[in-house]
Amino acid sequence: MPVAKPVMNPPFNIVRVSHVEFAVTDLEASRAFYVDCLGLHVTAESADRIYLRGIEERNHHSIVLVRAEKPVVRTMGFKVASEEDLDRAAFWFDEQGLRAEFVERPHQGRTLNAVDPLGMPIEFYFEMEQTSSMLQKYTHHRGARIQRIDHVNCFTPDVQVSHDFYTAVGFRVTEYTETEDPDPKLWAIWMHRKGNVHDLAFTNGRGPRLHHIGMWTATPLDILHICDVMATSGYLGNMERGPGRHGISNAFFLYVRDPDGHRVELFTSDYLTADPDMEPIRWTLRDPQRQTLWGHPAPRSWFEEGSFFEGTAVVEPVLEAQPIVAR
Amino acid sequence: MPVAKPVMNPPFNIVRVSHVEFAVTDLEASRAFYVDCLGLHVTAESADRIYLRGIEERNHHSIVLVRAEKPVVRTMGFKVASEEDLDRAAFWFDEQGLRAEFVERPHQGRTLNAVDPLGMPIEFYFEMEQTSSMLQKYTHHRGARIQRIDHVNCFTPDVQVSHDFYTAVGFRVTEYTETEDPDPKLWAIWMHRKGNVHDLAFTNGRGPRLHHIGMWTATPLDILHICDVMATSGYLGNMERGPGRHGISNAFFLYVRDPDGHRVELFTSDYLTADPDMEPIRWTLRDPQRQTLWGHPAPRSWFEEGSFFEGTAVVEPVLEAQPIVAR
Amino acid sequence: MPVAKPVMNPPFNIVRVSHVEFAVTDLEASRAFYVDCLGLHVTAESADRIYLRGIEERNHHSIVLVRAEKPVVRTMGFKVASEEDLDRAAFWFDEQGLRAEFVERPHQGRTLNAVDPLGMPIEFYFEMEQTSSMLQKYTHHRGARIQRIDHVNCFTPDVQVSHDFYTAVGFRVTEYTETEDPDPKLWAIWMHRKGNVHDLAFTNGRGPRLHHIGMWTATPLDILHICDVMATSGYLGNMERGPGRHGISNAFFLYVRDPDGHRVELFTSDYLTADPDMEPIRWTLRDPQRQTLWGHPAPRSWFEEGSFFEGTAVVEPVLEAQPIVAR
Amino acid sequence: MPVAKPVMNPPFNIVRVSHVEFAVTDLEASRAFYVDCLGLHVTAESADRIYLRGIEERNHHSIVLVRAEKPVVRTMGFKVASEEDLDRAAFWFDEQGLRAEFVERPHQGRTLNAVDPLGMPIEFYFEMEQTSSMLQKYTHHRGARIQRIDHVNCFTPDVQVSHDFYTAVGFRVTEYTETEDPDPKLWAIWMHRKGNVHDLAFTNGRGPRLHHIGMWTATPLDILHICDVMATSGYLGNMERGPGRHGISNAFFLYVRDPDGHRVELFTSDYLTADPDMEPIRWTLRDPQRQTLWGHPAPRSWFEEGSFFEGTAVVEPVLEAQPIVAR
């Protein structure tokens, strides 16, 4: 079976996905999208940077917007359980022959910047400036009432390689998709650290590229409301897919694109996965309910477009199998 | 039976309850409550008056706030079906020996100001300035996302008299409460013109006084949200009763008090009553699920306090029977 | 303007749309769909007939299923305000030279069976057997928790003719769609009697045929739930369109097809239209948000397929203009 | 400060609270309550035992009902991360001088039965029989659509002792209540392992006794629905408190009592607590919004009544401070 047993004592302890840094070409347009429309909260901002967080997040930021020439993803950040875990991580990357170096990041403690075997930029930290939760400041809930970052989802040219690497550092597979070959190959995986369906997912495709970040909302009605808001405030063209229900993860979802095309999933309704012996759920690639329980195929853009990681070359995927795409 | 058959061809055609004018002692405080907290929309305002409406209302106003020395209710307005209905109404009030005179009201066409047999001030008009619906301007939905005025509920010293009068002008009873006497008396009635449970309700008590106006929201989650908002923005003391479910009308409700004590019900989940042969639902006074399906008794203030109508003397009720009151 | 002023004193008083009779080819399959899946309540049933109603309906039936060779619509029923209105209706149809005759219908009082100028079969009655409301029998709420019939929507070969006829009998236009010609033509209309967006709607197309019946639910979550239920219980192929938000009527909707292809809309979130001077809302045919506020085009089947009325010939529509259709 | 830093490398790895075994005096009545009313799923049952689980649970049981003479709690079960953790746990309890022994439990692997320092019976296991998730079997969702067990909440005679013990085995405090003494004492604590507000909570009171088990639902509307169901199906008297919003944990809640008086909380809307450096939230005992954000005090029964643990003596609490109680 291509899905490995979880590694219960990984070389270092990753708590969860924590933040993403998006380079954007028009910071004002991005601010309007993320703050005025989606309703994220601004923790800090300067002429060139905006730090955003969801309603329940006490961490300083889960999305960082940085003014730049090209719309790329600079990094995906993961929180580890202690300062010692950072040192263990540095040691482990070094052992693997993978680049990893400590860098300075505003509002974060020591931060280890690294690349995975396919060149995807990731960073680890333990400490981040804390700020106040907006959870019980209900007068400030706006837009989709986004509560927190939930996951990142990436195209990888080799799902098996990504699976093997992230399994080794402790991510556990909750659901996966195989090709329908006699000798099935991994086509997509959903992996977690924090105890729900995913912190990190990979899909076969030209990559590495970021497919989307997932932001969690408390109820499906928050997602229906943001559909209404976007459709009537100039953001109709930014609604790419949904609302709908994924078969995988049971998520109720909406996919939207920011002004630079970075994709954000608004997402709710998955389930607890804390049990280490929970058996991963297997889906086959052409099961139409895999993508959308209710049967709507995703548009082509959803399968093909993604954000580049800064400075990271993209290669063709190893698998040619194709999912069901809307005409 | 104390509940009469509906009068299908009344002397003039009332469409629905339309608006209420509240005299308030601190207009800024009232604006903060109705606009900033509850989320009503301002159609127009001056130094001494604010005209408010809900999301779906195209009529210029459903609540008018007027700066005054004393917090009273100036009038309750009903829309009639045509200009001719105003003349018919004037004729009919005259026939009954009840005062009714045409007055000027800003933003309204000809308006007939009248009193009912118990001295309650009411007014009728056909035309009101029209404004744009906010229903599909979703970015402007705030607070409880109140959609429209639904009803007014009054204390009357004699429910039977109120019943007889409003039946004569076409209101139809949907639900009612009787005392548990061998010869039961009407203790409360719910009457409508527009096809849901009520435009107008009466409860036995010192009166006439306004018990509350009911404002309609689309879902119970809008009401839960305003509970959270009020509880965390200095309005905890303004939450008087609920949220809960009435047995009568099946309404999901929350009762709040404005800064002057005028009571507003946020309300949803009743039902269609368009059929003229729909049998009224009978409740007995001490059925605990009449008030609250879930069993919570209402606080004493809810049974005893109400807003005075300007210039209208209040008398003791004819019935002494008492509902169940929370200790 | 092609939309006429409402007729406030029509020749007879129609209260609302009341019921539809569907001929179905496999009564057991239809029962499974309407009762076990959608959750409608059975008031009565025999070997060849099933009478259904929603949670809040006290009328004996709003959908009648009848075993038959061919899946057609037998009649669409409207409740009038009194027995006298039936006689007035009979007189009026006679005056217009339109067929109308009193027929026997089980569980209904005197029933006037008629055809409109385009041959569409309609019937009128005042009295129907009353049964108990399930509204507060919450343990029996199932499926989509459908509360009541809301409207019927038909293809007509000539929207203007349908508009003129139903305006004459008192239906009032709330929203309409025009072609984008220099001399715009009516392409679709939404008309009501009961005080919300519609009891009856017409769209240009081969007809007369029934496009769908609309059944009202209390919240969008009831509609999301029935999507989940249908998608996981063998009814995925019966989900034709949605869930989504119509621009027209603001309805949150799902369109499903019964085992014979009769179309049912699950529907919520429209607005009160009781005011006789409410200005109809105008849409243009190719406004993409007219059909779906969120931008999803409807499938071709939705524009082309409908149920035939028994014994009624269908003709091509007078207008050739086409809406936006999903590829 | 009375709240200790979390122990990041505890002597053994507890994953989460997993199940509770309730001795009940009328198994049929309990089945009606938990299955027919609340909608839990039966995994297995015999003449004397019923094993229940929520919609998303693949573990064989989260509530076990056992026919008995007296309504007590037999045990509270926790899942550990591996078989080795069981041995580590056995060793550690032995070191502490606390009783712990391996016992047989149907449908579970090796199970370590133990008592905590105050005599509270707890058990640990790694393996449980797996069954199918009902999460996407939407036709089988009923009642409150309970998804899973979330937490257990106990009276303890000494919150500080309970805090110290469970901190030592890795539970982390998310929120706590102190008395208003100059030298404040811990009055209540909420502690977790799985990454949300709690797996285990303690309140000062005669104990050890179980205050309640918390069962998680996806949305507040599921909780409003079960209020309607209970209130109209003979369970009105079983509704003890709520629905409402706790200040602590932000939970939207309803407390109900089973036929023997065991208390169950239906619960949703808390937040992610995976970060090990998340600062616990401090509340003071007489802050009225601590218990209920919306201001309703809890009834006296809620503060005084609880379920006894089988064979466990109860002692008076060390603190005399009292919360706000409804008259």
Side-chain angles (χ1 to χ4, degrees):
Chain A
M1 193 188 71
V3 174
K5 286 282 167 209
V7 171
M8 292 303 295
N9 292 296
F12 55 101
N13 186 352
I14 298 170
V15 173
R16 63 176 178 95
V17 69
S18 154
H19 60 275
V20 171
E21 186 169 325
F22 282 138
V24 298
T25 59
D26 181 339
L27 190 61
E28 290 68 30
S30 294
R31 191 186 197 287
F33 179 77
Y34 286 102
V35 178
D36 301 338
C37 176
L38 295 188
L40 286 168
H41 293 271
V42 176
T43 308
E45 60 187 319
S46 64
D48 292 322
R49 275 175 177 260
I50 303 176
Y51 293 90
L52 302 172
R53 70 187 200 281
I55 284 172
E56 72 170 68
E57 292 180 309
R58 302 189 219 165
N59 259 12
H60 184 271
H61 51 267
S62 54
I63 298 180
V64 186
L65 304 176
V66 189
R67 191 189 301 276
E69 291 296 307
K70 300 219 165 176
V72 293
V73 180
R74 292 246 169 107
T75 191
M76 298 187 310
F78 296 87
K79 185 179 187 86
V80 296
S82 68
E83 288 293 330
E84 294 70 38
D85 283 298
L86 291 177
D87 298 314
R88 287 183 205 112
F91 180 79
W92 188 82
F93 274 87
D94 191 53
E95 270 193 331
Q96 310 298 313
L98 290 168
R99 180 173 64 73
E101 55 191 354
F102 283 99
V103 294
E104 294 290 312
R105 292 278 186 250
H107 312 291
Q108 295 176 205
R110 279 201 310 161
T111 300
L112 183 70
N113 185 258
V115 292
D116 81 0
L118 292 165
M120 200 167 76
I122 49 184
E123 68 180 35
F124 303 94
Y125 76 95
F126 167 58
E127 274 195 304
M128 187 183 284
E129 279 179 27
Q130 296 295 293
T131 182
S132 60
S133 167
M134 307 298 286
L135 187 55
Q136 295 188 336
K137 294 179 183 167
Y138 284 98
T139 54
H140 297 280
H141 294 198
R142 296 261 184 268
R145 298 175 182 168
I146 292 168
Q147 291 216 180
R148 55 174 167 77
I149 192 170
D150 186 81
H151 62 264
V152 293
N153 184 312
C154 302
F155 285 119
T156 175
D158 194 328
V159 176
Q160 191 67 52
V161 168
S162 295
H163 163 270
D164 295 349
F165 178 78
Y166 289 96
T167 297
V169 296
F171 285 84
R172 307 198 309 234
V173 176
T174 54
E175 309 206 15
Y176 64 102
T177 304
E178 287 185 341
T179 61
E180 280 143 349
D181 301 322
D183 175 23
K185 302 293 186 301
L186 269 184
W187 199 84
I189 48 172
W190 285 256
M191 313 180 87
H192 83 97
R193 286 292 301 165
K194 73 179 166 306
N196 70 347
V197 171
H198 51 327
D199 287 275
L200 185 54
F202 290 100
T203 302
N204 179 69
R206 294 180 62 235
R209 287 181 299 159
L210 179 71
H211 188 274
H212 68 263
I213 58 168
M215 305 299 287
W216 192 82
T217 71
T219 82
L221 287 185
D222 295 318
I223 293 177
L224 298 186
H225 179 63
I226 204 68
C227 289
D228 289 327
V229 167
M230 292 183 68
T232 55
S233 61
Y235 290 109
L236 182 65
N238 298 62
M239 297 169 69
E240 185 183 28
R241 181 185 175 194
R245 170 88 65 201
H246 285 308
I248 285 183
S249 84
N250 198 51
F252 185 79
F253 67 83
L254 174 74
Y255 290 93
V256 299
R257 307 292 290 270
D258 84 1
D260 285 291
H262 298 308
R263 189 182 284 109
V264 177
E265 181 186 17
L266 302 174
F267 158 97
T268 191
S269 304
D270 71 338
Y271 55 90
L272 185 71
T273 63
D275 292 358
D277 58 343
M278 179 171 272
E279 203 62 41
I281 298 174
R282 177 184 170 274
W283 298 83
T284 55
L285 181 55
R286 296 186 65 83
D287 178 342
Q289 293 196 301
R290 182 189 77 92
Q291 296 171 20
T292 315
L293 197 68
W294 306 340
H296 310 121
R300 182 165 296 278
S301 64
W302 195 86
F303 284 106
E304 298 187 348
E305 298 174 11
S307 298
F308 291 94
F309 290 108
E310 189 166 54
T312 305
V314 160
V315 299
E316 292 300 314
V318 297
L319 300 181
E320 289 186 6
Q322 285 300 323
I324 301 168
V325 178
R327 279 159 305 149
Chain B
M1 194 189 66
V3 174
K5 286 284 167 206
V7 171
M8 292 305 294
N9 293 297
F12 55 100
N13 186 352
I14 298 170
V15 173
R16 62 178 178 93
V17 70
S18 155
H19 60 274
V20 170
E21 186 169 325
F22 281 137
V24 299
T25 59
D26 181 340
L27 190 61
E28 291 67 33
S30 293
R31 192 187 197 286
F33 179 77
Y34 285 101
V35 179
D36 301 338
C37 176
L38 296 188
L40 286 167
H41 293 271
V42 176
T43 307
E45 61 187 320
S46 64
D48 291 322
R49 274 176 177 261
I50 303 177
Y51 292 91
L52 301 172
R53 70 187 200 279
I55 285 173
E56 73 171 66
E57 292 180 308
R58 301 189 220 164
N59 259 10
H60 184 272
H61 50 266
S62 54
I63 298 179
V64 186
L65 304 177
V66 188
R67 190 189 302 276
E69 292 295 306
K70 297 220 167 172
V72 293
V73 180
R74 292 246 170 109
T75 191
M76 301 189 307
F78 295 87
K79 187 181 186 84
V80 295
S82 67
E83 288 293 330
E84 293 70 38
D85 283 299
L86 291 177
D87 297 316
R88 286 182 207 116
F91 181 80
W92 189 82
F93 274 86
D94 191 55
E95 270 192 331
Q96 310 300 311
L98 291 168
R99 181 172 63 72
E101 55 191 351
F102 282 98
V103 294
E104 294 292 312
R105 292 276 185 249
H107 313 291
Q108 294 175 205
R110 278 200 311 160
T111 299
L112 183 69
N113 186 258
V115 292
D116 80 0
L118 292 165
M120 202 168 75
I122 50 185
E123 69 180 34
F124 303 94
Y125 76 95
F126 168 57
E127 273 194 303
M128 188 184 283
E129 277 179 29
Q130 296 294 293
T131 182
S132 59
S133 166
M134 306 299 285
L135 187 55
Q136 295 189 336
K137 295 180 184 166
Y138 284 99
T139 54
H140 297 281
H141 294 197
R142 296 261 184 271
R145 298 175 183 168
I146 291 168
Q147 292 217 179
R148 54 174 168 78
I149 192 170
D150 187 81
H151 61 263
V152 292
N153 185 312
C154 301
F155 284 119
T156 175
D158 193 329
V159 176
Q160 191 67 50
V161 168
S162 295
H163 163 271
D164 295 348
F165 178 78
Y166 288 96
T167 296
V169 296
F171 285 84
R172 308 199 309 235
V173 176
T174 54
E175 309 205 15
Y176 64 100
T177 303
E178 288 184 341
T179 60
E180 281 144 348
D181 301 322
D183 174 22
K185 302 294 185 302
L186 269 184
W187 200 83
I189 47 171
W190 284 256
M191 312 180 91
H192 83 96
R193 285 293 302 166
K194 72 179 168 303
N196 69 349
V197 171
H198 51 328
D199 286 276
L200 184 55
F202 290 100
T203 301
N204 179 69
R206 292 181 63 237
R209 288 180 298 157
L210 178 72
H211 188 273
H212 69 264
I213 58 168
M215 305 299 288
W216 192 83
T217 71
T219 81
L221 288 186
D222 295 317
I223 293 177
L224 298 186
H225 180 63
I226 204 68
C227 289
D228 290 327
V229 166
M230 291 183 69
T232 57
S233 60
Y235 290 109
L236 182 64
N238 298 63
M239 297 169 69
E240 184 183 29
R241 181 184 175 195
R245 169 88 65 201
H246 285 307
I248 285 184
S249 84
N250 199 51
F252 186 78
F253 67 84
L254 174 74
Y255 290 93
V256 300
R257 305 294 290 269
D258 85 0
D260 285 291
H262 298 309
R263 189 183 282 110
V264 178
E265 181 186 17
L266 302 173
F267 159 95
T268 192
S269 304
D270 70 340
Y271 56 90
L272 185 72
T273 63
D275 293 359
D277 57 343
M278 179 171 271
E279 202 61 40
I281 298 174
R282 177 182 170 275
W283 298 83
T284 54
L285 181 56
R286 295 186 65 83
D287 178 342
Q289 292 195 302
R290 184 188 77 93
Q291 295 173 20
T292 314
L293 197 68
W294 305 340
H296 310 121
R300 181 165 294 279
S301 64
W302 194 87
F303 284 105
E304 298 187 348
E305 299 175 11
S307 297
F308 291 94
F309 290 108
E310 190 166 50
T312 305
V314 160
V315 299
E316 292 302 311
V318 296
L319 301 181
E320 289 186 7
Q322 284 301 320
I324 302 167
V325 178
R327 277 161 306 151
Chain C
M1 194 188 72
V3 175
K5 286 284 166 204
V7 171
M8 293 303 296
N9 292 297
F12 54 102
N13 185 352
I14 298 170
V15 173
R16 62 177 179 94
V17 71
S18 155
H19 61 275
V20 171
E21 186 168 323
F22 282 137
V24 299
T25 60
D26 182 340
L27 190 61
E28 291 68 30
S30 294
R31 192 187 198 285
F33 179 78
Y34 285 101
V35 178
D36 301 339
C37 177
L38 296 188
L40 286 168
H41 293 271
V42 176
T43 307
E45 60 186 320
S46 65
D48 292 322
R49 274 176 177 261
I50 304 177
Y51 292 91
L52 302 172
R53 71 186 199 282
I55 285 172
E56 72 169 68
E57 292 180 308
R58 301 188 220 166
N59 259 12
H60 183 272
H61 51 266
S62 54
I63 297 179
V64 186
L65 304 176
V66 189
R67 191 189 301 276
E69 291 296 305
K70 299 220 164 172
V72 294
V73 180
R74 293 244 170 109
T75 191
M76 300 188 307
F78 295 87
K79 186 181 186 83
V80 296
S82 68
E83 288 294 331
E84 294 70 37
D85 283 298
L86 292 177
D87 298 313
R88 285 182 207 117
F91 180 79
W92 189 82
F93 274 86
D94 191 54
E95 270 194 329
Q96 311 298 313
L98 292 167
R99 180 173 63 73
E101 54 192 354
F102 282 98
V103 295
E104 294 291 310
R105 293 276 186 250
H107 312 292
Q108 296 175 205
R110 279 200 310 159
T111 299
L112 182 70
N113 186 257
V115 292
D116 80 2
L118 293 165
M120 200 167 77
I122 49 184
E123 69 180 35
F124 302 94
Y125 75 94
F126 167 58
E127 273 195 305
M128 187 183 283
E129 277 179 29
Q130 296 295 293
T131 182
S132 61
S133 166
M134 307 298 284
L135 187 55
Q136 295 188 337
K137 295 180 182 166
Y138 284 98
T139 55
H140 297 280
H141 294 198
R142 295 261 185 269
R145 298 176 183 167
I146 291 168
Q147 291 216 181
R148 54 174 167 79
I149 192 169
D150 186 81
H151 62 264
V152 292
N153 184 313
C154 302
F155 284 120
T156 176
D158 193 330
V159 176
Q160 190 69 48
V161 168
S162 296
H163 162 271
D164 294 348
F165 178 78
Y166 288 97
T167 297
V169 296
F171 286 85
R172 308 200 305 237
V173 176
T174 53
E175 308 206 15
Y176 64 101
T177 304
E178 288 184 340
T179 60
E180 280 143 347
D181 300 323
D183 175 24
K185 303 290 187 304
L186 269 185
W187 199 84
I189 48 172
W190 284 256
M191 311 179 90
H192 82 97
R193 285 293 301 166
K194 73 180 167 305
N196 70 348
V197 170
H198 52 327
D199 287 274
L200 184 53
F202 291 101
T203 302
N204 179 69
R206 293 180 63 237
R209 290 180 297 159
L210 179 71
H211 188 272
H212 68 263
I213 57 167
M215 305 298 286
W216 191 82
T217 71
T219 81
L221 287 185
D222 295 317
I223 293 177
L224 299 185
H225 179 62
I226 204 68
C227 289
D228 290 327
V229 166
M230 293 184 68
T232 57
S233 61
Y235 290 109
L236 181 64
N238 298 63
M239 297 168 69
E240 185 184 30
R241 180 183 175 195
R245 168 89 64 200
H246 286 307
I248 284 182
S249 84
N250 199 48
F252 186 78
F253 67 84
L254 175 74
Y255 290 93
V256 301
R257 306 292 291 267
D258 84 0
D260 285 291
H262 297 309
R263 189 182 284 111
V264 177
E265 180 185 17
L266 303 173
F267 159 96
T268 191
S269 304
D270 70 339
Y271 55 91
L272 185 71
T273 63
D275 292 359
D277 59 342
M278 180 172 269
E279 202 62 39
I281 298 174
R282 178 182 169 273
W283 298 82
T284 54
L285 182 55
R286 295 186 66 83
D287 178 342
Q289 293 196 303
R290 183 188 77 92
Q291 295 172 20
T292 316
L293 197 68
W294 306 339
H296 310 121
R300 181 164 296 278
S301 64
W302 195 86
F303 283 105
E304 297 187 349
E305 298 175 11
S307 297
F308 291 94
F309 290 108
E310 190 164 52
T312 305
V314 160
V315 299
E316 292 300 314
V318 296
L319 301 181
E320 290 186 5
Q322 285 300 320
I324 302 167
V325 177
R327 277 161 305 151
Chain D
M1 195 188 69
V3 175
K5 286 283 166 206
V7 171
M8 293 303 296
N9 293 295
F12 55 101
N13 186 352
I14 298 169
V15 173
R16 61 177 180 93
V17 71
S18 154
H19 60 273
V20 170
E21 186 169 323
F22 282 137
V24 298
T25 59
D26 182 339
L27 191 60
E28 290 69 30
S30 293
R31 193 187 197 285
F33 179 77
Y34 285 102
V35 178
D36 301 337
C37 177
L38 295 188
L40 285 167
H41 293 272
V42 176
T43 308
E45 60 187 319
S46 65
D48 291 323
R49 270 174 181 261
I50 304 176
Y51 293 91
L52 302 171
R53 70 186 199 284
I55 285 173
E56 72 169 69
E57 292 180 309
R58 301 189 220 165
N59 259 13
H60 184 272
H61 50 267
S62 54
I63 298 179
V64 186
L65 304 176
V66 190
R67 191 189 302 276
E69 291 296 305
K70 298 222 167 172
V72 294
V73 180
R74 291 244 170 108
T75 191
M76 300 188 306
F78 296 87
K79 186 179 186 83
V80 297
S82 68
E83 288 293 332
E84 295 70 37
D85 283 299
L86 291 177
D87 298 313
R88 287 182 206 116
F91 181 80
W92 188 82
F93 274 87
D94 190 56
E95 269 193 333
Q96 309 300 312
L98 292 168
R99 180 175 62 73
E101 56 192 353
F102 282 98
V103 294
E104 295 292 311
R105 292 278 185 250
H107 314 289
Q108 295 175 204
R110 279 200 311 160
T111 299
L112 183 70
N113 185 259
V115 292
D116 82 359
L118 293 165
M120 200 167 76
I122 49 184
E123 70 180 32
F124 303 95
Y125 75 95
F126 167 58
E127 274 194 303
M128 187 184 284
E129 278 178 29
Q130 296 294 293
T131 182
S132 60
S133 167
M134 307 298 284
L135 187 55
Q136 295 188 337
K137 295 180 183 167
Y138 284 99
T139 55
H140 297 280
H141 294 197
R142 295 261 186 271
R145 299 176 182 167
I146 291 167
Q147 293 218 179
R148 56 176 166 75
I149 192 170
D150 186 82
H151 61 264
V152 292
N153 183 313
C154 302
F155 284 120
T156 175
D158 193 329
V159 176
Q160 190 69 49
V161 168
S162 296
H163 162 271
D164 294 349
F165 178 78
Y166 289 96
T167 296
V169 297
F171 286 83
R172 307 198 308 235
V173 176
T174 54
E175 308 206 16
Y176 63 100
T177 303
E178 288 184 341
T179 60
E180 281 144 346
D181 300 322
D183 174 24
K185 302 293 187 303
L186 268 184
W187 199 84
I189 49 172
W190 285 256
M191 312 179 90
H192 84 96
R193 285 294 299 166
K194 72 178 168 309
N196 68 351
V197 170
H198 51 327
D199 287 276
L200 186 53
F202 291 100
T203 301
N204 179 70
R206 294 180 62 237
R209 289 179 298 159
L210 178 70
H211 188 273
H212 68 264
I213 58 166
M215 305 299 286
W216 192 83
T217 71
T219 80
L221 287 186
D222 295 318
I223 293 176
L224 298 187
H225 180 63
I226 203 68
C227 289
D228 289 327
V229 166
M230 293 184 68
T232 56
S233 61
Y235 290 110
L236 182 65
N238 298 63
M239 297 169 69
E240 184 183 29
R241 180 184 176 194
R245 168 89 65 202
H246 285 307
I248 283 182
S249 84
N250 199 50
F252 185 79
F253 67 84
L254 175 74
Y255 290 91
V256 300
R257 306 293 291 268
D258 84 1
D260 285 291
H262 298 308
R263 188 182 285 110
V264 178
E265 180 186 16
L266 303 173
F267 159 95
T268 191
S269 305
D270 71 338
Y271 55 91
L272 184 73
T273 63
D275 293 358
D277 57 342
M278 180 171 268
E279 202 63 39
I281 298 174
R282 176 182 171 276
W283 298 83
T284 55
L285 181 55
R286 296 187 64 84
D287 178 343
Q289 294 196 302
R290 184 189 76 93
Q291 296 172 20
T292 316
L293 197 66
W294 305 338
H296 310 121
R300 180 165 297 279
S301 64
W302 194 86
F303 284 105
E304 296 187 350
E305 298 175 11
S307 297
F308 291 94
F309 291 107
E310 190 165 53
T312 305
V314 160
V315 299
E316 292 300 315
V318 296
L319 301 181
E320 291 187 6
Q322 285 301 321
I324 301 167
V325 178
R327 277 160 307 148

